[in-house]
Amino acid sequence: MTKILVTGGLGYIGSHTCVALSQSGYTPVVIDNLSNTDIRIKARIESIIGQPLAFQKIDLCDSAALSTYFEQEKDLQGIIHFAALKAVGESVDKPLLYFQNNIEGLINLLTSKSPSLPIIFSSSCTVYGESAQQPLQEDFPFQKAVSPYGSTKQMGEEILQFSAGKNNQGSVIALRYFNPIGAHSSAQIGELPKGIPQNLVPFLTQTVAGKRDKLSVFGHQYPTPDGTCIRDYIHVMDLAEAHVSALERLLNKKNKSPFEVFNIGTGKGCSVLELIHSFEKATGEKVPYTFAPPRPGDVTIAYADTTHAQKVLGWSAKRSIEEALSSAWNWEKQQ
Ligand code: WQD
């Protein structure tokens, strides 16, 4: 029984990763402070994987509780670290909350765990900032972060890069996510934004479900073919499976250095209007939208060069954007 700690494991990407871990024969165990998810997700994950899921409500900023946890959980083989705040807009309004939660939480985790435990770190394409050069490659330099959220991901990678492999610290792989969308095919788990969704796809599905009046398309005069921003939308299950591939690289000691980084995207750019049309084609539903001013902090284009993950991790995205959008709609209809 290879037990893997999943911090933030009841969250959107964390819950899907628990399913992928279990389907690959691993035993996920979860700590989560439930600040951005719902305890009901635990039973949903259990119904998908067909076995109990060990869970403790712990905040990574509570270093005493975290130390006690690691004293009790002796036979962990690895950690996948999701637990962090991740709303770009909110981070601009509450920078100190983001730096404290995301950085203090990471440092508590690193100093409380048994040092040699390897870690998969949840990073983000946000670390690249605004880049004229596309698709984005792992060795592109960081541009200055445009939000505290993006800054915490850049700082997180730097903390891990300088600490991995030293003083008996285990190895680390950072996965730079592009735009995760969609839900598990069972529609038992999916994206559960609290309040008004910040991200495009949950706002779109809530609009089509009649919970929102209309979708605002933030900006349509960008220097792109149809004037709207381009992103790399990846099915959340493809993203979850990438974590298992990265974990196995560390467990089997295949990594070439103590700190490695991989882009996790589809390698395909998709504009906001193209996504809307893909959703309408995939579901037969109409998306009511209007054009609105650009959103501060948005980059024009961000999509992944995925050759490093394909060649080195042996991973690539398998699911289409239509499949991801259909699964997002099926999940929305369950709410
Ligand atoms: C996508 C596009 C918006 C809402 C963020 C984080 C990133 C990652 C994914 C964590 C943009 C447009 C959006 C709406 C719109 N999160 N949009 N109307 O900002 O690319 O990335 O989420 O890892 O780190 O930065 O995602 O879904 O918010 O926006 O037109 O109501 O959709 O302007 O062009 P984003 P998003």
Side-chain angles (χ1 to χ4, degrees):
M1 189 163 79
T2 307
K3 276 165 81 171
I4 304 296
L5 171 61
V6 184
T7 74
L10 295 193
Y12 174 38
I13 304 169
S15 57
H16 288 81
T17 301
C18 285
V19 170
L21 281 167
S22 178
Q23 284 170 347
S24 296
Y26 296 96
T27 302
V29 295
V30 172
I31 60 176
D32 197 308
N33 69 0
L34 300 179
S35 67
N36 193 26
T37 186
D38 186 309
I39 187 61
R40 285 174 299 166
I41 296 297
K42 175 177 180 296
R44 303 281 187 87
I45 295 170
E46 289 171 335
S47 75
I48 296 171
I49 65 177
Q51 62 189 36
L53 177 73
F55 164 74
Q56 282 197 37
K57 184 175 182 293
I58 292 177
D59 189 315
L60 295 187
C61 291
D62 180 347
S63 52
L66 197 56
S67 298
T68 305
Y69 178 80
F70 281 112
E71 277 152 28
Q72 289 160 357
E73 271 296 356
K74 278 292 177 221
D75 51 355
L76 294 172
Q77 303 297 313
I79 300 176
I80 303 182
H81 175 43
F82 292 104
L85 295 172
K86 63 137 195 163
V88 174
E90 183 187 50
S91 77
V92 174
D93 297 338
K94 302 173 182 171
L96 292 181
L97 173 68
Y98 269 67
F99 284 112
Q100 177 174 33
N101 186 77
N102 292 5
I103 301 304
E104 185 182 329
L106 172 63
I107 291 176
N108 283 349
L109 182 70
L110 292 173
T111 52
S112 307
K113 73 178 180 73
S114 66
S116 62
L117 272 184
I119 291 188
I120 306 298
F121 176 64
S122 163
S123 189
S124 167
C125 61
T126 316
V127 301
Y128 294 108
E130 179 82 72
S131 168
Q133 252 192 306
Q134 297 287 333
L136 295 163
Q137 293 171 19
E138 286 85 352
D139 58 0
F140 281 10
F142 286 175
Q143 302 295 324
K144 180 154 178 44
V146 290
S147 71
Y149 165 76
S151 178
T152 67
K153 289 302 179 184
Q154 290 181 348
M155 291 166 76
E157 285 200 21
E158 285 167 351
I159 290 165
L160 289 162
Q161 185 168 9
F162 283 113
S163 58
K166 296 195 186 70
N167 308 320
N168 196 21
Q169 277 290 330
S171 293
V172 173
I173 288 181
L175 299 180
R176 292 177 182 163
Y177 309 158
F178 281 72
N179 286 59
I181 62 169
H184 186 261
S185 53
S186 65
Q188 288 284 317
I189 53 176
E191 199 165 0
L192 259 182
K194 294 210 166 175
I196 300 174
Q198 296 299 305
N199 290 131
L200 175 62
V201 171
F203 199 105
L204 184 155
T205 57
Q206 287 190 13
T207 302
V208 177
K211 294 176 188 169
R212 311 279 165 204
D213 292 342
K214 65 183 173 339
L215 171 69
S216 298
V217 174
F218 297 142
H220 68 295
Q221 287 167 331
Y222 282 97
T224 61
D226 65 15
T228 63
C229 290
I230 292 172
R231 295 288 185 274
D232 183 333
Y233 297 97
I234 176 169
H235 195 300
V236 66
M237 279 311 294
D238 277 328
L239 176 58
E241 288 161 9
H243 288 78
V244 179
S245 302
L247 176 76
E248 289 181 335
R249 181 170 171 82
L250 294 185
L251 293 180
N252 300 327
K253 302 198 186 317
K254 295 267 196 279
N255 52 306
K256 297 288 180 280
S257 71
F259 179 82
E260 294 182 325
V261 174
F262 294 92
N263 284 337
I264 302 298
T266 65
K268 296 187 200 77
C270 174
S271 76
V272 176
L273 285 178
E274 285 169 335
L275 184 134
I276 291 171
H277 299 146
S278 295
F279 180 88
E280 293 179 334
K281 185 167 151 245
T283 63
E285 300 287 343
K286 194 88 189 92
V287 181
Y289 69 89
T290 55
F291 290 120
R295 179 174 68 176
D298 274 343
V299 297
T300 307
I301 303 183
Y303 67 98
D305 179 321
T306 56
T307 42
H308 190 45
Q310 282 166 7
K311 276 197 195 132
V312 177
L313 274 189
W315 172 89
S316 60
K318 296 183 187 63
R319 298 164 177 89
S320 68
I321 192 163
E322 286 80 13
E323 193 176 337
L325 292 168
S326 294
S327 68
W329 181 231
N330 290 336
W331 163 250
E332 182 64 59
K333 289 188 285 187
Q334 294 295 321
Q335 303 316 301

